Amino acid sequence: MNGQKRSDIKPGLEVDIVLKKDQRSGNVTRGVVKDLLTKSPSHPHGIKVRLEDGQVGRVKNIHT
């Protein structure tokens, strides 16, 4: 799953996100979702989330 649909993402899931500072390089950070920050049902660049460690970024991949 690519992280563009809000309905696919729930708190507690392990995901890969791209932080704002890594948007150019494309580096991903793995973590566990704490909060969903995007309100719309989908977003072309990925749903914005806050991880349990406080980092914020857009979901690129969901690990099931």
Side-chain angles (χ1 to χ4, degrees), residues 1-10 13 15 33 36 38-49 58-62:
M1 288 187 273
N2 62 13
Q4 293 180 348
K5 288 173 55 182
R6 193 175 194 274
S7 61
D8 291 342
I9 302 167
K10 305 274 187 275
L13 279 180
V15 296
V33 176
L36 280 75
T38 299
K39 298 296 183 208
S40 64
S42 66
H43 192 284
H45 300 296
I47 299 298
K48 190 177 280 188
V49 298
R58 294 196 182 273
V59 176
K60 291 298 170 196
N61 193 23
I62 301 169

Side-chain angles (χ1 to χ4, degrees), residues 5-23:
K5 288 173 55 182
R6 193 175 194 274
S7 61
D8 291 342
I9 302 167
K10 305 274 187 275
L13 279 180
E14 187 176 9
V15 296
D16 290 334
I17 66 168
V18 174
L19 303 172
K20 186 77 171 170
K21 69 179 179 69
D22 292 332
Q23 282 179 343

Side-chain angles (χ1 to χ4, degrees), residues 15 17 29-34 49-56:
V15 296
I17 66 168
T29 302
R30 186 170 289 188
V32 178
V33 176
K34 180 180 179 188
V49 298
R50 179 180 296 116
L51 300 180
E52 288 183 340
D53 64 6
Q55 296 184 96
V56 174

